[in-house]
Amino acid sequence: MPAEVLRDPLALKLSLPGEASTVIVIGDLPNPQLAADLTEGLAASIHPHGPLAKLTTVKSFTYTLRRMVRELADDGFTGSAAELTRAVLGAFWLRSHYLIEYRTRTILRAFDTRHQVLPEPVRQMVFGKNYTRPTLNGPLPPYAPAEWNRLIDLCKQEVRRLGEAQRAMIALAEGGQDPAVGGWSEVNGAWLMLRMGPVTRTEVAAHLGLTPRTFTGRHRGIERARAALFPSHKDAIPYMLLLAAWTGIVPDGLTGLQVSGIRWTGRQATLLSYTKGRTADESLVLSPRASRLLEQWLQHSALLRGHAPAELAEHVWLVTRQGRLARAAFEEYMMRGWVKAHDLRGDDGGPLRIDRRRLRTTFIAQRGQRQWSLRATVDPNHSPQVEGDHYLSAATPAQKAVVEEIARDAQSDLLRRASTPLVVDEAASAAGLPEEAGRLGLAEGALGELLSGERDVFSGACADHFAGLHGPKGQPCPARPWVCLLCPLALFAPRHLPNLLRLKAFFARQFRQMPREQFAAVFAPYARRLSAGWCPAEWCSSDLCIAPGHGAAIAQLSE
C-alpha cells in the first residue's frame, strides 16, 4: 500500500515513488474521530490512487487537515465525517482561501469514494464547484540583467571559496594524527574527521574518553573543520543555483537528482537524467560549464559520500545537518537566510528574492536572445515545443483538417513569393505570346478581350468569367471583388491599380470598424495578399506580364 493509517498514535505511513518510507504524525487533535476519517481520506488520495505524489504536497495536506479539525472544533462540531452538514462545511469554506478549500475537498472526496458515508446533500456539495477561485498572478518574469549578474557572480565566488577552503583543510589534516594520542587540536580534529566522517562533539568526546561537557569546555575548532571538509545546506545553494541557471532544469527535477542519472560521455559532455514531476523521466546533455560545475560538486561532496549509507549516497545533493548526513531540501527559508548572509540585493534595494522557477524562466529568455529566432510564445516560461504540444495541438479531426489546410496555404504562399516575376519588353512579349497563351489555355480571342478590358472585373481581369471557382459552370462568377485577389483565373495589370488602391482603403475602413476576430476570418487573407507588394507583377497569377512599364504607371497614379 502506498499509504497506511496508523492508529496509536494517529499517523500516516507513506511509500511515495522515489522516496524512502516516511511516517507523518498527525498529533493530538480536539476531534479524534474526524481526524481519523480525514486521515483515511488523505491516505486514499496518495499516488497511485490519488493525485498526491510528493512528500512536500502530502505535508501541506496534513497541515490543512489539522487546521480543519481545530477550526470545526472551535465552531462546536464534535462528530465524525459522516455527520458533517452543509452549514458546517459552507461556513468553513467561505472563510478559507482557495488552497484550504481545494485540499479539504480532495480529502473528503477520496474518503467518500472509499466508504460512501457522506449524506447525499453533503456529497453533492463536496463534489460540486469550489466557492473560492485561485489568484492568477500571470507568468513569472525573468530576472533583470543586473540582478542576474549579481546572483551568478556571487555563486561563482562562493563555489571557488568553498573549494579552496576544503582543499586547504585536507592539506592541513595530512600533517595531523589521532587526537587520542597527540591531543586535541584543529589539525588533529580534521585528521580524525577525514577517517570518521562529520562527527559531533559527543562522538569526539567519546573517542577521547571525555564527557561532552568537559570536551566542550576545553576544546574548540570542531565546527570550523567540519564546515570546511563537509558541505552543509548553505554550501550546496550556490552549486544548485548555478546548475539551475546554466541548464534550465525544473526545480523538482533538480532537487531529486540521483548519482545514477549522471552519465559521463566525454571530458566535457555529460548526459543528465532527471524526473519532472508533471511529466516523467527526462534527460539533458549538459554544456561544458555545467558539466564542470557538477563534477566540482561531486568532488566537494566525495568525502561526505564515502561515509553515507547506500540510500543517502545515491542523492546528488548530500549535505550535513548539525553533524548528521541528510539530503538537501532547498526550502525557501534557507534561500532567504543565504541571501541575507551575503547581503544580495535586488534592483529595488531590498533583499533579492530567489525563486527557482524564475531561474528557469531567465534561462529560457536568455537562450532565445542568444540566437536568431522568430519565437513568440504565450508564456515566456515555456519553450515553443511545449506550447505547440500542449496549446496548439489539434484535438479533433476537424481541427486537424483546418491546421493542415493552414499549413498548405502557408507553403503555397512561400512558393509564390519565391518565384521571380517575369518582366520583358514588347519585342520579347510578342515573341513568346503564342506559347504563353497556349500554356494558359486561353481560347481564340480571349487574349484580345483581356487586353481590351472586356473581361475586366473590379480588381483584375478574369481569364474566364463563366468558369469561376466560386459558382456553377456556365454562370457568371458570383464572387465578391476581393476574392479575385486569391483566384488563379485573375490577371492584374497597371490599369487595375486604381481599383486595387480603393480596395486597400476599403480593407482599412473595415479593420477599424470590425472586431479583429471577424476581420481575420473574412478579409485577412485578401488584405495580406494585397499588402504583399505594390507592383502587380510581384504577385501576378502567371509568369506572363501583359503590360510592361509598371513603374511609369504607378508614378502617374501617384501624381
Side-chain angles (χ1 to χ4, degrees):
M1 290 292 291
E4 179 184 357
V5 179
L6 306 179
R7 295 290 177 178
D8 192 16
L10 184 62
L12 188 64
K13 184 178 181 180
L14 303 176
S15 297
L16 296 174
E19 301 279 353
S21 181
T22 307
V23 175
I24 301 178
V25 178
I26 304 300
D28 295 332
L29 296 173
N31 189 344
Q33 183 59 46
L34 178 60
D37 292 344
L38 295 180
T39 304
E40 289 191 16
L42 180 57
S45 304
I46 304 298
H47 177 83
H49 307 297
L52 310 184
K54 293 181 63 178
L55 182 60
T56 54
T57 307
V58 176
K59 288 183 177 180
S60 65
F61 271 70
T62 305
Y63 162 78
T64 304
L65 184 153
R66 299 190 190 103
R67 175 173 174 173
M68 180 178 183
V69 174
R70 292 192 182 101
E71 290 194 15
L72 293 186
D74 294 340
D75 293 342
F77 180 78
T78 58
S80 63
E83 302 176 52
L84 288 170
T85 63
R86 293 175 63 92
V88 171
L89 279 179
F92 173 71
W93 284 338
L94 285 173
R95 67 173 180 260
S96 303
H97 59 78
Y98 168 75
L99 283 178
I100 298 296
E101 182 180 356
Y102 163 73
R103 293 167 184 167
T104 51
R105 278 184 184 271
T106 302
I107 293 174
L108 288 172
R109 286 170 183 171
F111 176 74
D112 186 67
T113 301
R114 175 171 293 186
H115 298 287
Q116 298 181 353
V117 296
L118 294 179
E120 185 59 29
V122 177
R123 179 180 294 111
Q124 294 178 1
M125 184 179 182
V126 168
F127 285 86
K129 294 183 178 179
N130 284 26
Y131 289 165
T132 56
R133 293 291 182 266
T135 302
L136 302 179
N137 297 322
L140 291 170
Y143 281 103
E147 294 177 338
W148 182 256
N149 292 335
R150 286 195 294 270
L151 175 61
I152 298 302
D153 291 344
L154 175 60
C155 291
K156 290 180 179 179
Q157 178 183 346
E158 282 296 295
V159 167
R160 288 193 297 268
R161 183 188 66 81
L162 293 170
E164 293 172 356
Q166 187 187 49
R167 289 189 292 271
M169 186 58 68
I170 292 176
L172 186 66
E174 292 177 354
Q177 58 179 327
D178 190 342
V181 177
W184 175 259
S185 65
E186 186 177 17
V187 176
N188 292 342
W191 182 94
L192 180 65
M193 281 186 281
L194 280 180
R195 289 152 180 80
M196 293 183 61
V199 291
T200 61
R201 288 175 175 270
T202 303
E203 293 170 331
V204 175
H207 181 77
L208 297 179
L210 303 174
T211 63
R213 177 175 295 183
T214 302
F215 176 79
T216 302
R218 295 181 181 178
H219 306 300
R220 297 286 187 273
I222 182 173
E223 286 82 6
R224 184 169 54 191
R226 185 173 59 204
L229 290 173
F230 307 107
S232 62
H233 267 95
K234 64 178 182 180
D235 297 338
I237 288 177
Y239 285 95
M240 183 275 300
L241 294 179
L242 275 183
L243 193 60
W246 290 347
T247 61
I249 298 178
V250 293
D252 56 346
L254 195 63
T255 304
L257 288 180
Q258 303 282 327
V259 176
S260 58
I262 304 174
R263 294 180 57 188
W264 305 99
T265 57
R267 297 186 60 182
Q268 290 187 337
T270 307
L271 179 64
L272 184 62
S273 301
Y274 61 94
T275 301
K276 186 177 180 181
R278 291 185 297 174
T279 54
D281 293 340
E282 298 189 5
S283 60
L284 176 68
V285 178
L286 300 185
S287 61
R289 63 178 181 178
S291 298
R292 291 193 297 270
L293 178 69
L294 186 58
E295 185 178 5
Q296 286 177 340
W297 168 254
L298 293 179
Q299 292 176 354
H300 194 164
S301 59
L303 290 176
L304 185 61
R305 206 173 303 276
H307 299 282
E311 62 272 11
L312 278 178
E314 180 63 18
H315 295 292
V316 169
W317 305 110
L318 183 64
V319 297
T320 58
R321 179 183 296 173
Q322 297 179 351
R324 302 299 179 186
L325 280 72
R327 174 187 173 186
F330 303 114
E331 300 291 347
E332 186 176 355
Y333 73 90
M334 298 179 183
M335 299 292 182
R336 290 197 300 266
W338 185 80
V339 168
K340 183 178 180 180
H342 294 88
D343 195 26
L344 184 59
R345 299 283 175 173
D347 287 347
D348 58 356
L352 179 64
R353 184 177 181 273
I354 296 180
D355 190 330
R356 290 186 290 158
R357 298 170 299 174
R358 289 185 67 189
L359 297 178
R360 173 176 169 82
T361 302
T362 311
F363 169 81
I364 294 176
Q366 290 188 344
R367 184 181 59 185
Q369 295 172 358
R370 284 194 298 266
Q371 54 188 356
W372 180 85
S373 174
L374 293 178
R375 174 178 178 267
T377 59
V378 178
D379 189 339
N381 303 306
H382 296 148
S383 65
Q385 180 180 355
V386 170
E387 293 204 344
D389 293 342
H390 295 277
Y391 301 142
L392 305 179
S393 60
T396 65
Q399 291 175 334
K400 292 180 180 178
V402 172
V403 171
E404 291 175 357
E405 183 179 356
I406 293 173
R408 286 194 297 268
D409 291 344
Q411 292 171 351
S412 300
D413 187 61
L414 289 175
L415 290 175
R416 284 193 298 269
R417 289 174 180 271
S419 61
T420 304
L422 180 62
V423 180
V424 296
D425 54 14
E426 287 81 355
S429 297
L433 187 58
E435 180 183 353
E436 292 296 335
R439 185 179 66 82
L440 293 174
L442 298 176
E444 183 178 356
L447 187 58
E449 295 176 2
L450 286 173
L451 293 175
S452 63
E454 295 182 12
R455 293 199 177 193
D456 270 13
V457 290
F458 179 81
S459 55
C462 185
D464 193 346
H465 193 55
F466 294 91
L469 305 179
H470 309 284
K473 301 297 182 182
Q475 298 293 328
C477 181
R480 287 175 168 81
W482 52 84
V483 177
C484 298
L485 293 172
L486 298 181
C487 182
L489 298 177
L491 296 172
F492 302 95
R495 67 175 183 271
H496 303 124
L497 191 55
N499 284 349
L500 293 176
L501 293 174
R502 296 186 184 99
L503 192 59
K504 188 178 181 69
F506 169 77
F507 287 152
R509 291 194 301 271
Q510 295 301 315
F511 180 78
R512 290 192 295 268
Q513 297 172 6
M514 298 172 61
R516 290 192 177 186
E517 294 79 4
Q518 185 179 1
F519 181 86
V522 178
F523 296 116
Y526 311 103
R528 187 182 306 113
R529 184 69 183 277
L530 187 58
S531 301
W534 283 100
C535 181
E538 294 184 4
W539 36 271
C540 182
S541 299
S542 70
D543 292 335
L544 176 63
C545 182
I546 60 176
H550 301 164
I554 294 175
Q556 293 175 3
L557 289 169
S558 300
E559 296 175 357

